[in-house]
Amino acid sequence: MNELTDAEFTRIRDYIKAHYGINMGDEKKSLIYSRLRATLINGGFTSFTQYFDYLLSDKTGAAIINFVDRVTTNHTFFMRETDHFDFFKNTVLPQLEEKYSAKKEICLWCAGCSSGEESNTLQMILQDYFEGKNWNTEILATDISTNVLDKAVHSVYPNDKIETLPENWRKKYFNKFDDHNSIVVDQIKRNITYRTFNLMEPAFKFKKKMHVIFCRNVMIYFDNETRDQIVGKFYEATEDGGYIFIGHSESLTHTNTKYKYIMPAVYRKL
């Protein structure tokens, strides 16, 4: 099989940018090559040009799904950036409980949920906080990768990956799957809806606006223009008084968002 030429890389890179918003510089050429090489070999393609032509012509959608799963980065773990979860539990939830005590419903979106560690953590917090109070705490969790969404739906994790969680959570919200893995209990999983979703959609059209959005360490892959467009769509999808949590390596400024700064990587629609 031939190497990935500069022209082929540019073609693939431009397609990823146009359709998924992900910005890949020249330094990502070797990454793209390594992640797609097995797909080319298994498919019998002799060049990246032949493979990409097939990708664009495939009417089943299967080739695109595989392509997205291969080229996207999905790195996450339980309790990542713990201060966010503390603020969510100790500040955001009491505010929402007081404001929506009549409806007893919270709309929360976990965008770029990867393999489910973040969405499961949030649901565990919600279950603890609203235990016995009969609130609707369903979470919408989305990602563009069907591969990681499948992992999230099943929510089976190596035992060493859940060691950072409180002991009472490990006992309450996980069951033994096998000698090396644990599975999240149905009580948590049935309150999370997983869907494929592309943040490059023209608008985020949901039946209800979100009280809280978690989109952490996702927008680092976008250029400034794309990020600003996505944040604008997040803002329109946020309920008045609602919050958005982004990654600590990301930031918003008053010149490119209407959200108001609350604390590092936490903003609010006021």
Side-chain angles (χ1 to χ4, degrees):
M1 186 187 71
N2 294 330
E3 295 295 312
L4 176 64
T5 68
D6 289 343
E8 288 171 330
F9 171 68
T10 298
R11 189 182 180 196
I12 293 172
R13 179 191 62 192
D14 291 349
Y15 179 86
I16 294 171
K17 174 66 169 59
H19 290 81
Y20 305 105
I22 300 172
N23 194 40
M24 291 191 165
D26 292 341
E27 73 279 2
K28 299 294 185 180
K29 180 180 175 182
S30 60
L31 176 70
I32 292 296
Y33 174 81
S34 63
R35 290 190 175 182
L36 293 178
R37 183 174 181 272
T39 300
L40 266 69
I41 293 174
N42 293 336
F45 300 104
T46 58
S47 69
F48 280 87
T49 295
Q50 184 186 24
Y51 162 69
F52 199 69
D53 287 343
Y54 164 75
L55 182 78
L56 298 182
S57 64
D58 176 44
K59 303 301 182 183
T60 68
I64 287 292
I65 291 173
N66 178 265
F67 173 77
V68 172
D69 287 342
R70 292 285 184 182
V71 301
T72 52
T73 299
N74 296 282
H75 173 67
T76 187
F77 49 89
F78 283 104
M79 301 302 289
R80 186 179 189 180
E81 299 175 350
T82 308
D83 57 321
H84 279 174
F85 296 117
D86 292 338
F87 183 78
F88 174 69
K89 176 179 64 177
N90 298 324
T91 301
V92 176
L93 288 184
Q95 291 176 355
L96 295 177
E97 182 181 22
E98 180 179 1
K99 186 174 182 179
Y100 299 102
S101 58
K103 291 184 177 180
K104 292 189 174 184
E105 180 181 62
I106 289 179
C107 296
L108 193 153
W109 179 16
C110 182
C113 66
S114 189
S115 46
E117 286 88 341
E118 181 178 80
S119 49
N120 279 310
T121 299
L122 290 169
Q123 188 56 238
M124 291 173 200
I125 293 173
L126 290 168
Q127 291 287 320
D128 277 1
Y129 187 89
F130 289 108
E131 188 170 13
K133 297 180 181 179
N134 196 33
W135 275 63
N136 179 2
T137 61
E138 185 169 335
I139 294 174
L140 171 64
T142 65
D143 204 285
I144 60 171
S145 171
T146 57
N147 183 43
V148 294
L149 283 174
D150 183 64
K151 294 178 181 179
V153 168
H154 290 89
S155 289
V156 175
Y157 303 101
N159 292 332
D160 61 344
K161 299 296 184 182
I162 67 173
E163 288 180 352
T164 56
L165 295 174
E167 182 180 358
N168 65 310
W169 274 15
R170 298 199 303 270
K171 293 179 178 179
K172 184 178 181 180
Y173 295 129
F174 291 85
N175 288 326
K176 179 180 178 180
F177 184 77
D178 57 33
D179 289 341
H180 305 288
N181 301 279
S182 297
I183 185 170
V184 175
V185 298
D186 289 342
Q187 176 188 353
I188 296 298
K189 292 196 291 185
R190 65 170 172 255
N191 284 296
I192 305 174
T193 300
Y194 290 103
R195 293 180 182 171
T196 305
F197 191 84
N198 187 350
L199 294 176
M200 293 299 287
E201 291 289 334
F204 301 156
K205 297 180 180 179
F206 303 115
K207 292 181 180 179
K208 299 177 182 178
K209 291 192 174 183
M210 301 295 168
H211 300 117
V212 182
I213 297 173
F214 273 74
C215 185
R216 304 189 305 167
N217 306 298
V218 173
M219 292 184 288
I220 55 175
Y221 300 106
F222 304 142
D223 61 25
N224 291 339
E225 180 182 359
T226 303
R227 181 198 63 209
D228 292 349
Q229 291 173 353
I230 291 173
V231 170
K233 291 182 286 188
F234 276 137
Y235 187 85
E236 294 303 317
T238 304
E239 187 66 74
D240 291 344
Y243 289 85
I244 185 169
F245 291 74
I246 62 175
H248 280 291
S249 60
E250 303 163 320
S251 64
L252 307 178
T253 67
H254 69 278
T255 59
N256 61 15
T257 182
K258 297 178 182 178
Y259 283 115
K260 304 302 179 184
Y261 174 87
I262 301 299
M263 62 177 280
V266 179
Y267 299 81
R268 192 178 188 189
K269 182 176 180 177
L270 297 173

